[in-house]
Amino acid sequence: MTGINGRSANNLSIVTTVVDALLAFRRGRHKSGLLLLGAAALSKRVNGLGTATSVVLRLVRRFR
């Protein structure tokens, strides 16, 4: 059985950020989608950026 290491966790974070971006585009939130895609692209260099961006966007939408 293989555990989750840092590299696979980062890849999972990138994939979930891209999925969030696609869902944002589908819901008509084009600015959020672009922001999430940019964060996913930068997540390769800055670990956790995509996840942090996704969480911040959800909080902003919730408290609006």
Side-chain angles (χ1 to χ4, degrees):
M1 187 165 147
T2 306
I4 295 180
N5 59 20
R7 185 179 212 174
S8 62
N10 190 36
N11 287 337
L12 182 62
S13 172
I14 293 169
V15 169
T16 57
T17 304
V18 170
V19 169
D20 278 346
L22 293 175
L23 289 173
F25 280 120
R26 188 172 182 179
R27 292 179 180 140
R29 299 177 178 144
H30 300 288
K31 290 179 185 177
S32 295
L34 287 174
L35 182 65
L36 286 165
L37 280 180
L42 289 174
S43 286
K44 204 66 169 166
R45 301 253 182 215
V46 181
N47 293 336
L49 180 66
T51 304
T53 304
S54 183
V55 168
V56 167
L57 280 174
R58 288 172 194 253
L59 288 173
V60 166
R61 277 189 229 123
R62 179 150 179 107
F63 293 116
R64 245 187 215 179

